[in-house]
Amino acid sequence: MRRPVSTTLTRIFPILSWSKTYSRQDAAQDGLAAVIVTIMLIPQSLAYAMLAGMPPEAGLYASILPIIAYAIFGSSRVLAVGPVAVVSLMTAAALGSVAESGTADYATAALTLAALSGAMLFGMGLLRMGFIANFLSHPVIAGFITASAVLIAMGQIGPLIGVKMTGASLPELVESFWAGKAAFNWQTLVIGALGLAFLSWVRRRMKPALRSLGVGPVLADVLTKAGPVVAVAASTLAVWGFGLDVAVVGAVPAALPPFTSPSFDLALIRELAMPAFLISIVGFVESVSVAQTLAARKRQRIRPDQELIGLGAANLAAGFSGGFPVTGGFARSVVNADAGAATPAAGIYTALGLAVAALALTPLLYFLPKATLAATIIVAVLGLVDLSILKKTWGYSRADFAAVAGTILVTLALGVEAGISTGVILSIALHLWRTSRPHVAEVGLVAGTQHFRNILRYEVITDPSVLSLRIDESLYFANTRYLEDLILERTAEDQNLRHVILMCSAVNEIDMTALETLEALMMHLKDRGIALHLSEVKGPVMDRLQRSSFLDHLTGRVFLSQHEAFVSLTGQA
Amino acid sequence: MRRPVSTTLTRIFPILSWSKTYSRQDAAQDGLAAVIVTIMLIPQSLAYAMLAGMPPEAGLYASILPIIAYAIFGSSRVLAVGPVAVVSLMTAAALGSVAESGTADYATAALTLAALSGAMLFGMGLLRMGFIANFLSHPVIAGFITASAVLIAMGQIGPLIGVKMTGASLPELVESFWAGKAAFNWQTLVIGALGLAFLSWVRRRMKPALRSLGVGPVLADVLTKAGPVVAVAASTLAVWGFGLDVAVVGAVPAALPPFTSPSFDLALIRELAMPAFLISIVGFVESVSVAQTLAARKRQRIRPDQELIGLGAANLAAGFSGGFPVTGGFARSVVNADAGAATPAAGIYTALGLAVAALALTPLLYFLPKATLAATIIVAVLGLVDLSILKKTWGYSRADFAAVAGTILVTLALGVEAGISTGVILSIALHLWRTSRPHVAEVGLVAGTQHFRNILRYEVITDPSVLSLRIDESLYFANTRYLEDLILERTAEDQNLRHVILMCSAVNEIDMTALETLEALMMHLKDRGIALHLSEVKGPVMDRLQRSSFLDHLTGRVFLSQHEAFVSLTGQA
């Protein structure tokens, strides 16, 4: 089937699908949403730039062109991309091993990391590899985000009280805190603590408070979103007015995003490739789940492969315009959607708003205390800490629990890259481990039906000459030897046995290794005068068996149903 | 259940199980087998030592104490351990990157590699980790051994014609051949070619020829096994007598195995850890499959976990007595079994025979041409090349084919370590890929039965208000999003639909990620007025669902059988 060209273009550039019918009403909604999101993003962008070890303006730049690139290519109507907490932490961890924060090398490495990540995401999108995100299980992601949030919050305690802290893991953070604790500064602590208290109040109580004062819902919302801006303005004024001796942001150039080029140094690219891949996957998973949640509210759907392209374009844009790795953020996207954004044009307006900020407002940031930014970060990430996943998985599945606990512990102890890698490897390894020792049930006929169930769980009819085994797993290389041993053991002592039926209702595949093992098993059983039968073999599995020589020398038969097999071999009805 | 101490001891030291009843008859059989195996092993040990880049006497040492250690701990009665072709190649590849062949560092690294591998095998045995071998699928092993045999044979073309060749992959071998081709030597070529021709004849034709001359079967067998010794003796005499100018083995000390110590240098151990692990796994898999094949002939069984301990002890012995990594060899074990070995005492006698050879015969080896050893190796390994696995897997399963082809190509192009790693990773990745896109069949009732099958393959009864989907895979993180999309798509357009039944006969597990996805799916369907039911949920899966809150808000019901579900929801019988 060939699609018309216009449909194909619309698939590649989702912007074409909404721009043609863009209405005045849409523009009004998008404009309001853009104002709210812009107000929210100014302090957040500065803060996440600090978290990533970048100069503050880089946070603004990372939100301008990337937003526009995503608006052109992304499939979500309300996703807002830019620097987010976990990806910024991963960026700092990746760059920390190649350059010193604050140097030109560090900034170049950040551009390279963003461009690499962008190229990977874009490439995966073209290859339709969105499925790769499925190998991160929900519990592993939940555990990783919780542990990352703890690391981020711990790391911001330093700037909050005037102590310099560096490190990519809990032990490193504690050590650097201990080493630098002499720099502790009362003035910084006061600003930090006030900021933290105010921002927590804004987050939890300000909106109800305003509403109870009779403020309308939209205004209350805008004012609440402006809370961090108030904290920024008030603390900046305090430092300037009282001449406080605290760490401040300092000189920030007033400029539009510059054109920058990532490095093409192969050694650097090789060193950053793995972190870029991990950042891509984590960013993609986080972004897609936000986009899906928001799309589901409006009965829209997003296309994961197109999201890869959209995020790839955004990161490439970040790499060429003075930014660092970005992805779709939860908080900003929810705010954007709640504020009524109708189309991705809201993102474009936000980008314009931030460009104005980068041009006009940056000189005002000189006296902005870093402690205020640290408070902003801490309040934002503490909302991500959710240990309930440990309890939930403990009750449901020990394997899932082990994967979560392993991810959390390794992330805290060794850092984000080791943590997320451990999560993926652990969940795959545990899955393989479980499927390598499958459940095998001896089944019998449930009286009055044609249904066969486990003899240990149900009152069923059996026959001494027939052993019916339901194998609850595909037969493949990792479990075939285990199953052979198990079946040989179960059949070893039984003198009356003449038939073994393998009920294959749960066998979704028989690979080459398993086929060879089945042949060996059949010969073993034949030596003892026992025939091997198969029942309920599924279509795709049967197709494949017919292409091999296995069925030619099968000592028993293949039955359509277990009931037919049982009746035919025992004469019982 | 507590086992009596004597049984436990017998499990740990299988030697105790046969030594008590050891008879004169056993001794006679074992003695004859030992003579034949010793004759066979002398040239083979020298040759594999050369292949591993070790001095010739190391080949003998690697067959003396390791055989005795295995006789004490191993569970196979006829397995013969010592240097084997593939493991020797892997040894050369591993050591080539840490030291120059012929140096003291190289020998120390070999001891360290053997001891490390021994410690790993022994440890895995204590932890009962024999299952780890299951992650090497049969086709991957077959492909790996074939590719290794090709590499080995190619690498011996150099010594066969007097050209020095080094390299761990096909491109490296070709390059080194090209660089050294000037050293080509006619005298070496003549010896090599004669050796090759004679040994091929011995292997294929000598025994029938001797039998047709009226020689008895046992004598014919011994003479055939002595063929390589004849080649060694004749070529040595030729070099000595005619004063030929060819590369020879040179001075070999006449001594019993020395006590040697592996290195405890952490940097070296870290560098050798991965190769040692791969050598352990490949050696274990090769050895266990030989042992199982031979045990099956006599209705004996071997215990994989005990084999780990036996092979671990053998490699530790090699590491402390001047050897290099060893494992159970196919050729030597078959010869041992065929020659009538009744107990592992045959191995102990073989070790004594080799000790005598190491003491008394080594001075005679001075003029032994290396070309003869190369011919011995080539004839031995060409029997391992078997490309039929490519054809077999192509016909049966493309995924298995891809794993084999990938293993062969990477082994040839990049060497043994990359090859075997690729094989393992590829087979696991392909398995995950397949299970991440499971087969889902819409099923209907086969008339006159209670059995449900695919509506596309069978004439079945269905109902417009009920969609029955049989999911042919466990629900876990890697496939849950795919399934959600698929079910939402199948149910999207259907206005009559009121019930979706997920038939879970092939669902062996529902992990946390899948559970959350099922809940989301249920809510989606509920929005459209469709209830979600489950049928044929297995015991272990049901147990787990009952521990979660999923069943509390399930919009439909859980039915024991698909038939019950269909009847109850449609009223059709």
Side-chain angles (χ1 to χ4, degrees):
Chain A
M1 196 185 69
R2 279 181 75 104
R3 291 203 187 84
V5 173
S6 64
T7 317
T8 307
L9 276 179
T10 309
R11 283 183 72 84
I12 300 173
F13 301 100
I15 192 173
L16 297 175
S17 70
W18 54 265
S19 57
K20 274 179 280 185
T21 60
Y22 197 63
S23 69
R24 192 177 285 258
Q25 158 84 9
D26 288 340
Q29 287 191 3
D30 288 345
L32 176 64
V35 169
I36 297 180
V37 174
T38 304
I39 291 171
M40 170 190 173
L41 283 194
I42 293 172
Q44 213 180 74
S45 300
L46 303 173
Y48 290 151
M50 181 172 90
L51 175 56
M54 299 292 290
E57 67 272 20
L60 295 173
Y61 299 160
S63 297
I64 299 175
L65 286 187
I67 289 184
I68 295 177
Y70 181 84
I72 297 171
F73 289 101
S75 73
S76 165
R77 296 215 157 186
V78 293
L79 192 74
V81 303
V84 307
V86 172
V87 167
S88 296
L89 174 71
M90 292 179 80
T91 299
L95 301 182
S97 61
V98 302
E100 186 78 22
S101 172
T103 63
D105 282 354
Y106 191 92
T108 306
L111 298 173
T112 310
L113 191 65
L116 261 179
S117 166
M120 287 176 180
L121 288 162
F122 206 91
M124 288 193 286
L126 292 180
L127 296 171
R128 305 181 158 272
M129 282 173 67
F131 68 87
I132 210 165
N134 301 346
F135 290 96
L136 274 178
S137 76
H138 291 185
V140 164
I141 300 168
F144 177 68
I145 289 181
T146 287
S148 300
V150 170
L151 277 185
I152 293 170
M154 295 290 291
Q156 296 307 314
I157 291 176
L160 197 74
I161 65 173
V163 172
K164 191 170 153 51
M165 271 172 87
T166 54
S169 67
L170 218 45
E172 285 173 22
L173 287 172
V174 169
E175 198 187 312
S176 83
F177 180 84
W178 206 247
K181 65 182 189 301
F184 169 80
N185 174 322
W186 272 105
Q187 297 184 353
T188 308
L189 173 63
V190 170
I191 290 187
L194 284 176
L196 210 52
F198 174 69
L199 290 169
S200 303
W201 176 80
V202 167
R203 195 183 178 85
R204 306 220 184 130
R205 309 242 181 258
M206 184 170 168
K207 209 162 156 187
L210 287 174
R211 294 302 308 278
S212 67
L213 292 173
V215 180
V218 174
L219 188 60
D221 208 41
V222 175
L223 290 175
T224 307
K225 294 300 175 301
V229 174
V230 172
V232 164
S235 59
T236 304
L237 284 172
V239 172
W240 174 71
F242 302 123
L244 299 181
D245 172 30
V246 301
V248 295
V249 162
V252 180
L256 288 175
F259 172 78
T260 55
S261 172
S263 162
F264 292 93
D265 174 21
L266 272 181
L268 180 65
I269 290 176
R270 207 171 299 129
E271 201 162 350
L272 293 178
M274 193 63 199
F277 178 72
L278 294 175
I279 286 174
S280 301
I281 298 294
V282 168
F284 173 60
V285 169
E286 209 180 329
S287 183
V288 159
S289 69
V290 173
Q292 274 177 335
T293 307
L294 296 177
R297 287 196 197 166
K298 299 198 176 181
R299 299 283 186 103
Q300 293 164 350
R301 301 209 66 182
I302 60 130
R303 288 179 285 129
D305 290 327
Q306 188 65 36
E307 282 305 283
L308 280 169
I309 291 181
L311 292 174
N315 275 291
L316 282 168
F320 284 91
S321 64
F324 54 94
V326 296
T327 194
F330 181 70
R332 60 179 66 187
S333 302
V334 170
V335 169
N336 194 35
D338 287 352
T343 73
I348 297 176
Y349 305 154
T350 304
L352 294 177
L354 290 169
V356 169
L359 264 182
L361 302 183
T362 41
L364 306 181
L365 298 174
Y366 191 94
F367 289 106
L368 168 58
K370 290 189 172 175
T372 306
L373 295 180
T376 311
I377 295 175
I378 291 176
V379 171
V381 299
L382 282 184
L384 300 175
V385 174
D386 174 14
L387 288 169
S388 73
I389 188 70
L390 282 171
K391 199 175 150 236
K392 262 167 85 178
T393 49
W394 177 260
Y396 185 68
S397 148
R398 297 295 148 91
D400 276 318
F401 174 81
V404 183
T407 306
I408 293 179
L409 287 178
V410 175
T411 305
L412 292 177
L414 302 176
V416 279
E417 286 173 23
I420 193 70
S421 309
T422 300
V424 173
I425 292 171
L426 210 54
S427 38
I428 291 177
L430 286 165
H431 174 73
L432 289 174
W433 163 252
R434 282 176 312 214
T435 60
S436 77
R437 310 172 70 83
H439 181 246
V440 174
E442 184 177 344
V443 294
L445 180 63
V446 179
T449 74
Q450 299 181 2
H451 194 65
F452 283 71
R453 292 307 282 248
N454 194 334
I455 61 168
L456 302 175
R457 288 176 183 259
Y458 295 85
E459 195 71 46
V460 290
I461 302 164
T462 56
D463 185 289
S465 72
V466 173
L467 176 69
S468 301
L469 295 175
R470 189 190 72 209
I471 297 169
D472 286 355
E473 194 57 64
S474 290
L475 306 180
Y476 80 112
F477 60 88
N479 61 25
T480 149
R481 201 182 301 237
Y482 172 85
L483 286 171
E484 186 187 17
D485 286 351
L486 187 145
I487 294 170
L488 286 177
E489 227 161 79
R490 286 231 194 163
T491 55
E493 314 276 285
D494 196 336
Q495 297 301 328
N496 298 316
L497 200 61
R498 286 292 158 266
H499 302 282
V500 170
I501 309 171
L502 299 185
M503 180 175 170
C504 298
S505 48
V507 173
N508 306 309
E509 195 210 342
I510 298 180
D511 78 354
M512 193 76 199
T513 307
L515 186 74
E516 291 177 358
T517 308
L518 271 187
E519 293 192 346
L521 174 67
M522 185 167 68
M523 290 307 148
H524 270 292
L525 292 176
K526 190 181 180 185
D527 283 352
R528 299 199 214 135
I530 301 173
L532 182 73
H533 307 266
L534 305 179
S535 76
E536 311 211 357
V537 180
K538 296 174 186 203
V541 175
M542 196 66 194
D543 290 348
R544 197 170 273 180
L545 288 182
Q546 272 158 348
R547 289 208 299 272
S548 77
S549 62
F550 178 73
L551 297 175
D552 303 338
H553 45 262
L554 184 63
T555 52
R557 291 166 52 194
V558 178
F559 294 96
L560 182 67
S561 72
Q562 172 63 24
H563 185 248
E564 196 183 312
F566 189 73
V567 170
S568 145
L569 295 175
T570 64
Q572 299 191 32
Chain B
M1 194 184 73
R2 279 181 73 105
R3 291 203 188 85
V5 173
S6 65
T7 315
T8 305
L9 275 180
T10 308
R11 284 184 69 85
I12 300 174
F13 300 101
I15 192 172
L16 298 174
S17 68
W18 54 265
S19 57
K20 274 179 277 182
T21 59
Y22 197 63
S23 68
R24 191 178 286 257
Q25 158 83 9
D26 288 340
Q29 287 190 4
D30 288 344
L32 176 64
V35 169
I36 297 179
V37 174
T38 304
I39 291 172
M40 171 189 171
L41 283 194
I42 292 174
Q44 211 179 79
S45 300
L46 302 174
Y48 289 151
M50 182 171 90
L51 176 56
M54 299 292 288
E57 67 272 19
L60 294 172
Y61 300 161
S63 296
I64 297 175
L65 285 187
I67 288 184
I68 295 176
Y70 182 83
I72 297 170
F73 288 100
S75 74
S76 163
R77 295 216 158 187
V78 293
L79 192 76
V81 302
V84 306
V86 173
V87 166
S88 296
L89 174 71
M90 294 179 80
T91 299
L95 301 182
S97 62
V98 302
E100 186 80 23
S101 172
T103 63
D105 282 354
Y106 192 93
T108 305
L111 298 173
T112 310
L113 191 65
L116 261 180
S117 165
M120 288 177 179
L121 288 162
F122 206 91
M124 290 194 283
L126 292 181
L127 297 170
R128 306 183 159 269
M129 285 174 67
F131 69 86
I132 209 164
N134 300 346
F135 289 96
L136 273 178
S137 76
H138 291 185
V140 164
I141 300 167
F144 177 67
I145 287 181
T146 287
S148 299
V150 170
L151 276 185
I152 293 171
M154 295 290 291
Q156 295 307 313
I157 291 177
L160 197 73
I161 65 173
V163 173
K164 193 170 151 54
M165 275 171 87
T166 52
S169 67
L170 217 46
E172 284 175 22
L173 286 172
V174 169
E175 197 188 312
S176 82
F177 180 84
W178 205 247
K181 67 180 188 301
F184 169 78
N185 175 320
W186 272 106
Q187 296 184 357
T188 309
L189 172 63
V190 170
I191 289 186
L194 284 176
L196 209 52
F198 174 70
L199 290 170
S200 303
W201 178 80
V202 166
R203 195 181 177 87
R204 305 220 184 131
R205 311 244 180 257
M206 185 170 167
K207 208 162 159 186
L210 287 174
R211 293 303 306 280
S212 67
L213 290 173
V215 180
V218 173
L219 188 58
D221 209 43
V222 174
L223 289 174
T224 306
K225 294 300 173 304
V229 172
V230 171
V232 163
S235 60
T236 305
L237 283 173
V239 172
W240 175 69
F242 302 123
L244 299 181
D245 174 30
V246 301
V248 295
V249 161
V252 180
L256 286 176
F259 172 78
T260 56
S261 171
S263 163
F264 291 93
D265 175 21
L266 271 184
L268 180 66
I269 289 176
R270 208 172 297 131
E271 200 161 352
L272 293 178
M274 193 62 199
F277 178 70
L278 293 175
I279 287 175
S280 302
I281 297 295
V282 168
F284 173 59
V285 169
E286 209 181 329
S287 183
V288 159
S289 68
V290 173
Q292 275 177 333
T293 307
L294 296 176
R297 287 194 196 167
K298 298 199 178 181
R299 302 281 186 100
Q300 294 165 348
R301 300 210 65 181
I302 59 130
R303 287 180 285 130
D305 290 327
Q306 187 65 36
E307 282 304 283
L308 281 169
I309 291 181
L311 292 174
N315 275 293
L316 283 168
F320 284 92
S321 65
F324 55 95
V326 296
T327 193
F330 181 70
R332 62 181 62 189
S333 301
V334 170
V335 168
N336 194 34
D338 287 352
T343 74
I348 298 176
Y349 304 155
T350 304
L352 294 177
L354 289 170
V356 169
L359 264 183
L361 302 183
T362 40
L364 305 180
L365 297 175
Y366 190 93
F367 288 106
L368 169 56
K370 288 187 173 176
T372 305
L373 294 179
T376 311
I377 295 175
I378 292 177
V379 171
V381 298
L382 283 184
L384 300 175
V385 174
D386 175 15
L387 289 168
S388 73
I389 188 71
L390 283 171
K391 200 175 150 238
K392 262 167 86 177
T393 48
W394 178 260
Y396 184 68
S397 148
R398 295 296 148 89
D400 276 318
F401 175 81
V404 182
T407 306
I408 293 180
L409 288 179
V410 174
T411 305
L412 291 178
L414 302 176
V416 280
E417 285 171 22
I420 194 70
S421 309
T422 300
V424 173
I425 292 170
L426 211 53
S427 38
I428 291 176
L430 286 166
H431 174 73
L432 291 174
W433 163 253
R434 282 175 313 213
T435 58
S436 76
R437 310 172 71 84
H439 181 246
V440 174
E442 184 178 344
V443 294
L445 179 63
V446 179
T449 72
Q450 300 183 2
H451 194 63
F452 283 72
R453 294 306 282 249
N454 194 335
I455 62 166
L456 301 176
R457 289 176 182 259
Y458 295 85
E459 195 71 46
V460 290
I461 302 163
T462 57
D463 187 288
S465 72
V466 173
L467 176 69
S468 302
L469 294 175
R470 188 191 72 208
I471 296 170
D472 286 354
E473 195 58 65
S474 290
L475 306 181
Y476 80 112
F477 59 87
N479 60 26
T480 147
R481 200 181 302 236
Y482 172 86
L483 285 171
E484 185 187 19
D485 286 350
L486 187 144
I487 293 170
L488 286 177
E489 228 160 80
R490 287 228 194 164
T491 54
E493 313 277 287
D494 197 337
Q495 297 300 330
N496 299 315
L497 201 60
R498 287 293 159 267
H499 303 282
V500 170
I501 309 170
L502 298 184
M503 179 175 169
C504 298
S505 48
V507 173
N508 306 309
E509 194 207 343
I510 297 179
D511 78 355
M512 193 74 198
T513 308
L515 186 74
E516 291 176 359
T517 308
L518 270 186
E519 293 190 347
L521 174 68
M522 186 166 69
M523 291 308 149
H524 271 290
L525 292 175
K526 190 181 180 185
D527 283 351
R528 300 200 214 134
I530 302 172
L532 182 73
H533 307 266
L534 305 179
S535 76
E536 312 212 355
V537 180
K538 298 176 184 201
V541 176
M542 197 65 196
D543 290 348
R544 197 172 273 179
L545 288 182
Q546 271 159 348
R547 289 207 301 272
S548 77
S549 62
F550 177 73
L551 297 175
D552 303 337
H553 45 263
L554 184 63
T555 52
R557 291 167 52 196
V558 179
F559 295 94
L560 181 67
S561 72
Q562 172 63 25
H563 184 248
E564 196 182 312
F566 189 73
V567 170
S568 142
L569 295 175
T570 64
Q572 300 191 30

